[in-house]
Amino acid sequence: MMPLLRLIPALMLAGCAAAPAGPPFTLHPGDRVGLLVEAGDMPVHTHYESDGRSAGRIARAYPYDWQLDNAVAATVQRELTQAGFSVVDLESQGLRHDDLAGLIGPAGRQWQPSAGPLYEGLRAQGVRAVVLVKDARTLAVQDCSGGPCDRVAEGPGVYSSSTNGVTSWRAVSGFQWNVFLLDPPGDLATAPPLRDTLRAPSVPLYGAVRPGQGAAPTEAELMAVRDKVLEYVEATAEDVVLALGGRRTVTQAAAPVPGGGETSSGR
């Protein structure tokens, strides 16, 4: 795993607000963990530019099929399975991220489960925890010198920033993570210590790709970015396993690029 993925001090937009502490719990090998991923498949390039007097931001998606949805789901499922958990595919049950996003929420200094039938239905299936991954707007970099402190990327892909003619590029793993416990209720992704490991969704790019505002980079050029996005997903999935009480597994290679023999996760 690349050390830089652990060192860049950027924060996910989701989960930054104060949240109750994670509740005490115990999960065991064989316990059921629900998984749902909505990652999108096209990379997004977000560009921020400032000349010291004014600033602006543009974003556009490139029509390249990154197969992120399958690759992210396969990566997280692999880490959960290798930790000994039994993974439940919630998408196959007709569920979407919006159905599950409010499953558990803070209520003062405690966590409050949803009162709807979905929460009770998952518990009736023996599901102990739910992991959600959703592509989202992401705080790519915090830079308070000469401009706004919050530099936001619109999704997974490339973030570039040009200030007074000096441009830098970053790969951004733009995802919102939720790790819901059902009994006792809680969201480990928005409570320490897991919340604090979700702080590095971007990594600088050196010589990998330099997308300009005029011509789009080729699909081959952006594959280096895709690799870094999946490296971050793998590192985060390992942290999720640890937060759930599992064991960190031996790191495996990121999923192959499309057309390079990538196997389907069945999604």
Side-chain angles (χ1 to χ4, degrees), residues 16-68:
C16 292
F25 70 98
T26 302
L27 261 62
H28 303 284
D31 280 347
R32 310 190 81 196
V33 177
L35 174 62
L36 192 144
V37 174
E38 290 182 9
D41 288 319
M42 289 194 300
V44 177
H45 176 204
T46 306
H47 180 76
Y48 171 90
E49 187 158 357
S50 172
D51 61 6
R53 297 184 301 273
S54 61
R57 184 179 59 169
I58 59 174
R60 61 181 175 181
Y62 296 126
Y64 306 140
D65 184 5
W66 269 13
Q67 299 184 26
L68 272 185

Side-chain angles (χ1 to χ4, degrees), residues 37-42 68-70 72 133-135 156 175 267:
V37 174
E38 290 182 9
D41 288 319
M42 289 194 300
L68 272 185
D69 202 66
N70 281 342
V72 172
V133 187
K134 169 72 174 174
D135 54 326
F175 301 110
R267 292 166 54 81

Side-chain angles (χ1 to χ4, degrees), residues 137-252:
R137 300 177 74 244
T138 305
L139 188 59
V141 63
Q142 286 185 312
D143 181 5
C144 294
S145 59
C149 297
D150 296 349
R151 307 282 180 87
V152 177
E154 292 298 323
V158 177
Y159 176 87
S160 57
S161 177
S162 180
T163 303
N164 296 325
V166 179
T167 305
S168 61
W169 292 261
R170 309 177 83 87
V172 179
S173 186
F175 301 110
Q176 174 184 337
W177 292 73
N178 293 100
V179 184
F180 292 132
L181 294 173
L182 271 60
D183 187 15
D187 184 1
L188 299 183
T190 58
L194 182 57
R195 178 189 65 192
D196 300 326
T197 69
L198 298 177
R199 66 182 182 276
S202 68
V203 59
L205 292 170
Y206 300 108
V209 62
R210 293 293 185 267
Q213 296 187 62
T218 66
E219 187 170 7
E221 288 173 330
L222 282 178
M223 282 306 165
V225 178
R226 180 182 185 272
D227 289 344
K228 288 179 171 54
V229 168
L230 291 178
E231 285 174 7
Y232 176 80
V233 170
E234 183 180 48
T236 304
E238 291 175 353
D239 288 334
V240 167
V241 164
L242 290 178
L244 289 172
R247 296 173 57 188
R248 185 182 295 276
T249 59
V250 176
T251 299
Q252 299 185 11

